[in-house]
Amino acid sequence: MQGIVCKRCEVIVYDLNKLNVTADAKEKAANYGIHSVPSIVVDGKQEDIELLKKNNLLHQWFRKKAVD
């Protein structure tokens, strides 16, 4: 993700595949309704990563968000 987003953007990665997932990461995943990984949440909204990847829009989408 760091290579996709702008330098001003903050990226926090929660690795939900680890055996020792923190309580904070579990709580955030539950709050966002995440049931599968990888998932992307931007400004509190879960984005459809498969749609973005399918249409090759992931880089463009993050660049647009950085400008907004």
Side-chain angles (χ1 to χ4, degrees):
M1 295 307 305
Q2 292 290 357
I4 296 174
V5 299
C6 73
K7 293 178 183 177
R8 296 186 322 248
C9 298
E10 178 182 16
V11 176
I12 302 171
V13 176
Y14 294 98
D15 189 346
L16 301 177
N17 289 316
K18 288 183 177 180
L19 293 177
N20 58 344
V21 176
T22 66
D24 183 47
K26 288 180 185 178
E27 181 181 346
K28 288 192 181 293
N31 288 343
Y32 291 124
I34 294 173
H35 300 289
S36 63
V37 292
S39 291
I40 297 176
V41 176
V42 178
D43 295 332
K45 180 178 178 261
Q46 186 176 5
E47 300 298 333
D48 186 344
I49 190 171
E50 291 305 317
L51 181 63
L52 292 171
K53 288 188 326 189
K54 177 183 171 188
N55 294 317
N56 201 22
L57 297 174
L58 202 54
H59 291 301
Q60 293 174 16
W61 186 86
F62 275 106
R63 285 191 185 114
K64 179 187 178 306
K65 283 294 193 180
V67 174
D68 288 350

